[in-house]
Amino acid sequence: GAGVSQSPSNKVTEKGKDVELRCDPISGHTALYWYRQSLGQGLEFLIYFQGNSAPDKSGLPSDRFSAERTGGSVSTLTIQRTQQEDSAVYLCASTQGTSGRTQFFGPGTRLTVL
Amino acid sequence: SQKIEQNSEALNIQEGKTATLTCNYTNYSPAYLQWYRQDPGRGPVFLLLIRENEKEKRKERLKVTFDTTLKQSLFHITASQPADSATYLCAPPSDKLIFGTGTRLQVFP
């Protein structure tokens, strides 16, 4: 597609439920990133996929968080047993070629855990 | 440790003036720096990339400088407009593209 897309745009869930957030990167981009941003805070790196390499999961805050990228394209971020502190905007970005280059961000998914 | 710092306080200026935002780095020699704009509730949007061997880069009303002696990059918006109001983020080269909280710019009519 023309840009990075994410779905859903908004998600409200109850504490303890699992959620899945989806990211469609720009076609041909080999690297994909997940971040989250709490209200009034900076971006917090979560996980990074580059091609077929093992993902860098160093930013995942707990083992309730996981992500996968199928076929080198679409990625799903899963949060199990959601907690209220998981409420944030979850942003996905993709980049072409090597890491650290210009990232193109999606519109984000606003997650609210009640 | 390596650090990228931006002024976390908001910058308020009058329309038509030049806004100048600062990005300082320590214990670090980035090969380039990137500047992004973020509007509330949206993802950051790339604006400019400046390499360490470039003193200055321009794009329309935007100008970025990179001073490796001062370990600083300045981001200027000339003839600022209320539509320029946003948070501006500086980011070094990194797999994780670590951003600071950025500097919020508010341009008043």
Side-chain angles (χ1 to χ4, degrees), chain A:
Chain A
V4 178
S5 61
Q6 292 185 245
S7 60
S9 55
N10 280 287
K11 177 73 177 177
V12 180
T13 190
E14 293 179 348
K15 179 181 170 181
K17 302 280 191 187
D18 297 352
V19 295
E20 283 190 353
L21 312 180
R22 177 187 167 108
C23 172
D24 279 272
I26 292 173
S27 178
H29 279 194
T30 57
L32 185 148
Y33 303 75
W34 282 99
Y35 299 87
R36 74 176 175 182
Q37 189 170 31
S38 301
L39 191 62
Q41 302 298 309
L43 276 81
E44 177 187 1
F45 165 79
L46 297 177
I47 188 169
Y48 158 59
F49 296 90
Q50 171 62 280
N52 295 321
S53 303
D56 178 348
K57 304 179 183 181
S58 60
L60 294 178
S62 78
D63 59 8
R64 296 186 296 105
F65 288 73
S66 63
E68 61 177 23
R69 189 178 184 193
T70 53
S73 181
V74 171
S75 177
T76 302
L77 177 69
T78 301
I79 309 174
Q80 295 179 308
R81 304 180 303 282
T82 51
Q83 304 293 314
Q84 287 183 328
E85 61 262 29
D86 299 335
S87 297
V89 175
Y90 288 81
L91 290 160
C92 173
S94 70
T95 187
Q96 186 176 37
T98 56
S99 62
R101 295 295 179 179
T102 300
Q103 295 190 4
F104 296 86
F105 284 81
T109 294
R110 181 175 296 279
L111 175 66
T112 303
V113 182
L114 302 176

Side-chain angles (χ1 to χ4, degrees), chain B residues 70-101:
Chain B
L70 294 178
K71 294 187 180 295
Q72 182 180 81
S73 176
L74 298 179
F75 178 85
H76 307 271
I77 306 176
T78 58
S80 59
Q81 304 167 359
D84 295 327
S85 300
T87 296
Y88 291 86
L89 306 164
C90 166
S94 165
D95 287 355
K96 301 164 189 178
L97 204 67
I98 305 297
F99 292 94
T101 53

Side-chain angles (χ1 to χ4, degrees), chain B residues 21 42 44 68 72 76 86 88 107:
Chain B
L21 308 175
R42 316 219 21 202
T68 54
Q72 182 180 81
H76 307 271
Y88 291 86
V107 181

Side-chain angles (χ1 to χ4, degrees), chain B residues 36-84:
Chain B
Y36 288 75
R37 167 184 172 142
Q38 186 175 25
D39 290 284
R42 316 219 21 202
V45 174
F46 171 75
L47 295 175
L48 283 167
L49 180 152
I50 185 165
R51 301 181 193 284
E52 60 179 341
N53 61 349
E54 296 176 314
K55 289 279 196 287
E56 179 181 298
K57 182 165 270 190
R58 291 177 183 262
K59 179 182 176 182
E60 297 172 352
R61 294 184 295 110
L62 309 181
K63 183 178 85 170
V64 174
T65 62
F66 196 172
D67 189 325
T68 54
T69 302
L70 294 178
K71 294 187 180 295
Q72 182 180 81
S73 176
L74 298 179
F75 178 85
H76 307 271
I77 306 176
T78 58
S80 59
Q81 304 167 359
D84 295 327

